[in-house]
Amino acid sequence: MKVLVTSNSFGKYSNEPQRKLEEAGFEVILNPYHRMMNEEEFIECLSDIDAVILSTEKVTKKVIDSSPKLKMISRYGVGLDNVDLEYCKEKGIPVTVTKGGNSNAVAEFAVSLMLSCLRGVASANQYAKQNIWKKFTGLDLDGKTIGVVGLGAIGKLVVKKLQGFDVKILGYDVYYDEEFVKKYSVEKVSIDDLVKNSDIITLHAPSNGKAILGKEEFKKMKDNVVVINTARSDLIDLDALLEAIKNNKVFAAGLDVHENEPNFDIRFEGLDNVILTPHQAAISKEASNKASQMAVDNILDYFGKEKKR
């Protein structure tokens, strides 16, 4: 049987995950494009594949119907908005995730973006490499109110990592871990109150097809707000964000996720107070090793159970 791996960071720092698959009798096929595949490329690669370790490629109805041998999808990550889950269910194709595999990496990256945005680190570095001596007057993190949208595994880790700073934390979610919010002094608020009262807003929620931060939300925000997005690009109305930046409502923004990946929105490229990174928050050596092993274990677990039936 054959396993297609679309993620470029899978097994990058350890050959153990791939070796484990091969020892179990699987032939491992790596992404030949070394980037996110479009639908036609993905369909071509899946033509003779039994399982896929999936990165951010879109698993549409057309992709599924064009992959007659596909038996299961092992998502390399936790987000599933790129997968037609209903159609997978209809076709009897299970979808698994590597829950917690990269949570720490994303949380650390989000906090890094906060600090870099507040102090102009990325822009100062960019000018310095052009031999331009240009200083940026930043803002302190201490004393700020931080709004965390989404208190799942990643959101919780962000809260934990901020405990060493003198900050107030507001949290919004549909469901709350009451023990956690009490232990870490998270004030539960509505999304409206979070938007109005936060100095920094960091997004850690799944996509639901509607922007959490739109034109009306930006109007309600404090002046000099910092916006961080390491979750999904459609959580922010980018037109509204751009307008808020130009009107000096937003002090800085850190965006790791983008509307048309692997492309950036060129409207933000010339702005010193916007940090753009190529969807890399989840990528660290430790996260890669952990998520790779979990993705493999999910495949071996599934096919192991199939053999026993």
Side-chain angles (χ1 to χ4, degrees):
M1 289 190 291
K2 296 180 180 179
V3 175
L4 172 67
V5 179
T6 72
S7 169
N8 289 315
S9 61
F10 171 87
K12 189 174 182 179
Y13 305 104
S14 170
N15 61 8
E16 177 65 17
Q18 183 169 337
R19 186 189 63 78
K20 198 170 181 180
L21 277 174
E22 291 171 343
E23 283 188 351
F26 291 91
E27 179 182 350
V28 179
I29 312 296
L30 301 179
N31 183 340
Y33 300 97
H34 307 291
R35 57 165 171 75
M36 178 181 170
M37 288 182 267
N38 62 38
E39 189 174 64
E40 289 183 6
E41 293 166 342
F42 194 28
I43 287 173
E44 184 179 355
C45 287
L46 280 170
S47 61
D48 194 34
I49 295 297
D50 297 279
V52 58
I53 294 179
L54 180 72
S55 181
T56 53
E57 283 76 13
K58 295 184 183 299
V59 181
T60 62
K61 183 176 180 180
K62 182 179 177 181
V63 167
I64 296 168
D65 286 340
S66 303
S67 310
K69 290 187 66 179
L70 186 63
K71 300 176 181 65
M72 73 94 62
I73 297 169
S74 179
R75 174 76 169 92
Y76 183 80
V78 293
L80 291 171
D81 48 298
N82 59 322
V83 180
D84 188 333
L85 292 173
E86 285 299 317
Y87 199 59
C88 284
K89 184 178 181 180
E90 183 181 326
K91 289 293 185 177
I93 299 173
V95 182
T96 61
V97 297
T98 54
K99 187 175 182 180
N102 55 27
S103 297
N104 183 72
V106 177
E108 286 188 356
F109 198 86
V111 176
S112 297
L113 280 178
M114 286 181 204
L115 291 166
S116 187
C117 282
L118 286 165
R119 302 305 302 273
V121 173
S123 293
N125 174 67
Q126 185 176 357
Y127 280 104
K129 288 184 176 180
Q130 300 173 61
N131 200 29
I132 298 172
W133 192 274
K134 184 173 182 177
K135 297 182 181 181
F136 290 82
T137 302
L139 301 171
D140 289 343
L141 179 56
D142 271 19
K144 297 295 185 291
T145 297
I146 301 176
V148 181
V149 180
L151 290 169
I154 296 171
K156 285 180 178 178
L157 282 170
V158 169
V159 171
K160 288 182 179 180
K161 293 177 190 304
L162 290 169
Q163 294 302 299
F165 296 94
D166 180 20
V167 295
K168 178 180 180 180
I169 297 179
L170 307 180
Y172 168 77
D173 208 328
V174 178
Y175 303 103
Y176 293 94
D177 180 337
E178 297 294 343
E179 183 179 345
F180 177 86
V181 296
K182 182 179 180 180
K183 180 177 180 179
Y184 291 98
S185 302
V186 178
E187 183 180 340
K188 296 185 296 181
V189 294
S190 66
I191 190 65
D192 193 55
D193 284 341
L194 184 147
V195 164
K196 290 178 180 177
N197 297 304
S198 297
D199 298 297
I200 300 167
I201 298 173
T202 181
L203 302 175
H204 304 286
S207 172
N208 64 1
K210 182 182 178 182
I212 291 175
L213 303 182
K215 190 172 183 178
E216 293 305 312
E217 284 72 31
F218 279 105
K219 286 180 180 178
K220 297 174 184 177
M221 291 179 192
K222 289 182 176 182
D223 290 338
N224 289 322
V225 69
V226 171
V227 177
I228 305 296
N229 190 6
T230 56
R232 290 292 180 266
S233 64
D234 61 3
L235 296 178
I236 299 178
D237 180 333
L238 296 179
D239 292 333
L241 172 60
L242 185 64
E243 183 180 349
I245 291 170
K246 290 181 176 178
N247 293 336
N248 297 315
K249 167 68 76 170
V250 171
F251 180 81
L255 307 176
D256 185 54
V257 286
H258 310 279
E259 189 175 15
N260 295 306
E261 296 183 6
N263 302 301
F264 296 101
D265 190 327
I266 60 173
R267 297 177 298 172
F268 295 97
E269 289 180 3
L271 302 177
D272 286 339
N273 58 343
V274 177
I275 297 175
L276 304 175
T277 52
H279 204 152
Q280 69 177 49
I283 301 174
S284 71
K285 288 185 178 181
E286 293 85 353
S288 174
N289 290 340
K290 187 175 181 180
S292 295
Q293 192 60 63
M294 291 173 74
V296 167
D297 288 344
N298 286 336
I299 288 176
L300 296 180
D301 183 58
Y302 170 77
F303 284 99
K305 290 178 180 176
E306 284 295 294
K307 287 180 181 178
K308 293 178 182 178
R309 290 174 183 171

